Amino acid sequence: MPVLSPSSIPTIWEEIQDLTGPSVVNVNSGGESFSDIFNSGAKANVSGGTVLSASINSNSLIALTQGGVVSASTVNSGANVTIDSKAQFDSNTVSGGTITMTGFNGFSINNDYLSGAHIYISGVNSLNSDTIESGATALLTNSGVTIGVNLYGQMTLDSGSWAVGGSVASGGVMDVKNDSIAYNAGIASGGTVNVDSTATISGASVQSGGTLNINSGATLADYTTSGSSTVTTVGSGGTLTVANGGTLSGTVQLADGATMTIPTSAGGTIDLQGNTNVGLIISGTGSVNTVISGFDGTSAGQSDGITLASVQAADVTNVSYPDDNHVTFTLKDGSSVELNIVGVTGFGYNLVADANGDLVYEVCFLAGSMIRTPHGDVNVEDIRMGDEVIAYVDGQQITRKVTWAGKAHGTVRPDLADDEAGYPVRILKDAIATGVPYKDMLITPEHCLFFDGKFVPARMLVNGVSVFYDKSITSYDYYHVETEQHSVIVADGMLTESYLDTGNRQAFRQEGSVVRLCGASRSWEDDAAAPLCVEQAFVEPIFRAIENRAGNVEGAQVATVSPQLTTDPDLYLITETGQIIRNARVCGKNVMFMLPAGVKNVQIVSRVSRPSDAVGPFLDDRRKLGVLIGKVTLLDGNKMRDVTSHLEGSDLTGWYAQDQASNRWTNGKALLPLDNRQPYSFGMLSVEVLAAGPYVMACESQLHAQIA
């Protein structure tokens, strides 16, 4: 083998050119410029060749044409790069320079880090998977395209340009103008998207702290491709505003805790998620042409509400229902507001001082329940004001006068969990004790029964055998009676509660011609005849006693098979771009994940289940829980640091309120911001899982679907 002399081996310094104007370098097809330095006045004409690892400094110019490539280079402040004719600018760092792309040849800027840069794109050209940092600006005109861009700076889409996917991160602002369209944009906390006249945004995802503004003349639509549609979602803590003159042509899923403001003319459909959703605000009067679905509730204080920003509750003189899906509020001045709410006639309503229209599924008796009076047992539907009923105080029987009696209508929502859907609870004859109740009893799930000096909601005693949800009943009238003081009364031979007005009386209508003006609302803490108890230590022994005698109750249902449980959370991460990351290893309670460079937010995804389903209804925890997360650490490059965003952001998407300062439950899909990542570095994320499950396997697909 020949031996090379040192003089025959070129050094790296011999390959590098330090060019200062008027130097001109021509890199033609097949040619390559490597690690060159372009200073003031220098110019490179790149036509089919490649410039690698260059340093392009102030007042220098790189002109790309005919398939030329600039890659892995640095463009510094004051430098200029022009791109034309199917050229490519790939994996570069631009700090204060100017990039100009013109023509209609379909070239692109790919995987670049743009900080303080100014980007001008016109024609059929694109930004692809780039990061536009704070201080950088991008202007796209005449069908320029962005794909999967992470935006921390400012971007303007103008004159028919497009944005596909990507994320508008904290501090990022995207302005969509003049026939331009933004598809499937993710708007993270601190990010803002403004859509102006004649422009459209389709299938957006507004996360906690994100803001989407649909201005006059602009349109918010579904994203439809290959026969399927993606609707716009607004997560808890997110904000969506449709200005007067803006148009909603698709569907918006509005999470519980999100805020959305629309005019009466907005159109489209809004699907309210959860049953305490009070985030929808409607301005103006007249007929609201937006369809509202998902408006429901489970009990007093657990109901949806819609704010009519132009209406005072005191100005409402009449509430009427033109059909099953419309409700009209007539005002003192003769004007009206009509809402299009799916199935609205199946709901009660409440008008409060801030003009919220709150739905309540209240706790009541169903028709046919027998109430004990001094003159014998009387059907609850026949009780009127002024009648007397038997009440028990300190174990002694007394007589109390009925001061109010009301009736409302309930309609089951079978898409919800059984205890939230509105199914009545059937308690079989003799289920509690011999003669208790003395006939089958039908009550609503939140109605309370009296045991050992305390009230217990009926839903916490459902065993599926002698106490069960009667799914043959999907629509029904229900009743309540109020006595001079909240009382323990007898219905169907069972000790139970009279009505306690906690602020939802207007959900009922009163039979007869006598009208009673209502005073201040009462509370369980101050006005109840006995304490309301949902503690497992008290309720579970009652549940077990009823369960143990169920086999001897006539008509008892066949015992259901116990649900299959698991404690495996099936934990993984999803990045901003939708990439799924499985764990690299598990060390005790710590689950480790390898993070690619550039990932600044992840979602922690797991199985999810309600403790009341997995353990039993006697456990009053109906949250859909994922995993309990404690300490999170990130090894980023060569630096180890704690990640505390999940312990500091009270409104962070996918997290429940903290029970303790050092940990927090997810709902199965929780956002975890990873602030201040080191540029271009891979990371190792360690997530401490303090508790997981048990999870009900039979419910897994349904519950995953609800958080997807």
Side-chain angles (χ1 to χ4, degrees):
M1 172 183 284
V3 178
L4 297 178
S5 66
S7 62
S8 66
I9 304 175
T11 68
I12 189 64
W13 303 109
E14 291 173 329
E15 296 177 0
I16 296 175
Q17 299 184 77
D18 190 342
L19 303 168
T20 302
S23 298
V24 176
V25 174
N26 295 310
V27 186
N28 299 316
S29 180
E32 181 177 290
S33 169
F34 180 75
S35 296
D36 290 328
I37 300 172
F38 295 88
N39 292 314
S40 180
K43 179 181 180 181
N45 296 312
V46 186
S47 178
T50 301
V51 172
L52 291 172
S53 302
S55 179
I56 305 165
N57 298 319
S58 179
N59 295 320
S60 60
L61 171 64
I62 306 296
L64 282 79
T65 60
Q66 299 296 329
V69 176
V70 170
S71 181
S73 297
T74 300
V75 181
N76 295 313
S77 180
N80 289 275
V81 177
T82 63
I83 311 173
D84 200 353
S85 299
K86 298 184 180 180
Q88 187 162 314
F89 191 79
D90 190 4
S91 302
N92 300 288
T93 298
V94 183
S95 178
T98 299
I99 312 297
T100 304
M101 302 175 67
T102 58
F104 293 85
N105 294 303
F107 42 74
S108 62
I109 296 178
N110 297 322
N111 303 308
D112 298 287
Y113 184 83
L114 309 168
S115 175
H118 301 286
I119 304 102
Y120 301 94
I121 298 178
S122 63
V124 187
N125 307 304
S126 67
L127 288 168
N128 191 348
S129 301
D130 299 291
T131 297
I132 300 177
E133 284 291 345
S134 176
T137 63
L139 172 62
L140 287 80
T141 60
N142 299 318
S143 298
V145 180
T146 76
I147 302 172
V149 170
N150 293 319
L151 178 63
Y152 295 83
Q154 291 186 307
M155 175 185 292
T156 300
L157 304 179
D158 206 345
S159 302
S161 294
W162 300 351
V164 181
S167 174
V168 183
S170 180
V173 178
M174 177 188 289
D175 293 317
V176 188
K177 301 179 176 182
N178 298 324
D179 298 322
S180 295
I181 305 175
Y183 297 102
N184 288 0
I187 308 171
S189 180
T192 301
V193 173
N194 302 307
V195 188
D196 291 323
S197 179
T198 72
T200 300
I201 186 168
S202 299
S205 173
V206 186
Q207 300 169 18
S208 178
T211 301
L212 173 58
N213 298 313
I214 309 298
N215 298 320
S216 180
T219 300
L220 174 63
D222 295 341
Y223 175 60
T224 302
T225 181
S226 301
S228 62
S229 294
T230 300
V231 304
T232 294
T233 59
V234 186
S236 179
T239 301
L240 170 57
T241 301
V242 180
N244 195 27
T247 299
L248 171 59
S249 69
T251 297
V252 174
Q253 289 184 346
L254 189 68
D256 205 336
T259 300
M260 182 173 183
T261 303
I262 64 169
T264 56
S265 59
T269 298
I270 298 173
D271 184 4
L272 302 177
Q273 306 290 299
N275 54 29
T276 57
N277 195 323
V278 294
L280 178 58
I281 303 168
I282 302 175
S283 61
T285 58
S287 179
V288 179
N289 65 358
T290 301
V291 177
I292 302 167
S293 64
F295 185 68
D296 59 17
T298 58
S299 63
Q302 296 293 317
S303 302
D304 295 337
I306 298 172
T307 297
L308 304 178
S310 303
V311 176
Q312 294 295 306
D315 293 338
V316 178
T317 60
N318 186 54
V319 180
S320 59
Y321 300 91
D323 56 50
D324 288 347
N325 299 316
H326 290 82
V327 57
T328 300
F329 301 92
T330 303
L331 310 181
K332 289 179 180 178
D333 62 4
S335 64
S336 65
V337 179
E338 183 173 278
L339 302 181
N340 186 349
I341 302 175
V342 176
V344 69
T345 55
F347 310 139
Y349 69 89
N350 185 32
L351 300 179
V352 295
D354 62 357
N356 282 339
D358 293 328
L359 163 73
V360 177
Y361 280 126
E362 184 42 48
V363 292
C364 297
F365 303 99
L366 272 67
S369 294
M370 304 298 291
I371 306 300
R372 186 153 299 168
T373 77
H375 310 292
D377 287 1
V378 176
N379 281 314
V380 65
E381 57 265 39
D382 296 330
I383 299 290
R384 296 291 184 270
M385 283 176 56
D387 291 347
E388 292 181 330
V389 298
I390 299 297
Y392 288 84
V393 178
D394 297 328
Q396 301 298 311
Q397 178 178 308
I398 64 171
T399 299
R400 278 187 173 160
K401 186 170 291 187
V402 173
T403 56
W404 177 84
K407 172 185 176 181
H409 186 78
T411 302
V412 169
R413 284 282 307 276
D415 54 309
L416 301 178
D418 288 350
D419 56 329
E420 298 176 344
Y423 291 112
V425 173
R426 182 178 291 274
I427 303 175
L428 293 180
K429 177 180 178 293
D430 301 325
I432 309 302
T434 301
V436 183
Y438 63 70
K439 70 177 187 65
D440 285 6
M441 184 181 194
L442 282 169
I443 54 176
T444 52
E446 296 295 338
H447 191 94
C448 291
L449 306 176
F450 186 76
F451 295 92
D452 298 328
K454 298 178 181 179
F455 285 123
V456 175
R459 61 175 168 79
M460 299 187 71
L461 304 175
V462 170
N463 55 40
V465 182
S466 60
V467 183
F468 55 88
Y469 294 105
D470 191 334
K471 295 186 178 181
S472 68
I473 301 174
T474 58
S475 182
Y476 51 83
D477 289 331
Y478 55 101
Y479 301 80
H480 234 321
V481 294
E482 182 180 33
T483 56
E484 296 162 299
Q485 295 174 286
H486 189 232
S487 301
V488 178
I489 63 175
V490 181
D492 298 333
M494 180 178 294
L495 294 176
T496 183
E497 60 164 327
S498 66
Y499 174 68
L500 181 65
D501 179 16
T502 56
N504 61 308
R505 189 187 300 274
Q506 292 187 60
F508 299 86
R509 64 179 184 273
Q510 185 173 318
E511 302 291 351
S513 58
V514 179
V515 176
R516 177 176 183 265
L517 297 178
C518 303
S521 298
R522 299 180 179 182
S523 70
W524 274 97
E525 292 78 10
D526 299 328
D527 303 297
L532 172 66
C533 185
V534 295
E535 297 298 325
Q536 182 179 355
F538 180 79
V539 178
E540 186 173 4
I542 300 171
F543 175 91
R544 296 300 182 193
I546 298 171
E547 183 182 51
N548 289 338
R549 66 175 281 113
N552 299 321
V553 175
E554 184 178 351
Q557 301 207 338
V558 177
T560 56
V561 177
S562 298
Q564 182 181 354
L565 303 177
T566 181
T567 56
D568 175 12
D570 187 24
L571 194 69
Y572 59 92
L573 306 180
I574 299 179
T575 70
E576 307 103 313
T577 60
Q579 179 184 0
I580 293 175
I581 302 176
R582 294 285 179 178
N583 72 73
R585 65 180 184 274
V586 178
C587 300
K589 295 181 179 180
N590 297 301
V591 185
M592 311 292 191
F593 299 91
M594 289 292 298
L595 293 184
V599 173
K600 297 187 176 181
N601 298 281
V602 294
Q603 290 178 313
I604 302 174
V605 183
S606 69
R607 287 190 169 98
V608 62
S609 192
R610 304 190 313 169
S612 59
D613 295 328
V615 179
F618 46 79
L619 178 57
D620 190 38
D621 190 344
R622 295 187 284 177
R623 296 176 297 172
K624 297 181 176 73
L625 297 181
V627 289
L628 181 63
I629 301 298
K631 187 175 183 179
V632 179
T633 58
L634 176 62
L635 177 61
D636 197 16
N638 59 357
K639 295 183 179 180
M640 176 73 77
R641 61 183 175 89
D642 291 338
V643 177
T644 59
S645 54
H646 65 300
L647 302 176
E648 297 169 351
S650 60
D651 59 350
L652 201 60
T653 300
W655 299 89
Y656 286 101
Q658 290 173 254
D659 297 325
Q660 298 183 29
S662 60
N663 55 62
R664 194 172 181 183
W665 280 101
T666 76
N667 70 357
K669 194 173 187 180
L671 177 66
L672 182 68
L674 304 172
D675 299 324
N676 302 317
R677 285 291 310 274
Q678 296 292 319
Y680 314 116
S681 66
F682 287 86
M684 175 69 78
L685 187 71
S686 174
V687 178
E688 183 184 28
V689 179
L690 298 174
Y695 305 100
V696 179
M697 298 295 287
C699 298
E700 181 179 349
S701 60
Q702 176 186 358
L703 295 179
H704 266 302
Q706 292 174 355
I707 64 169

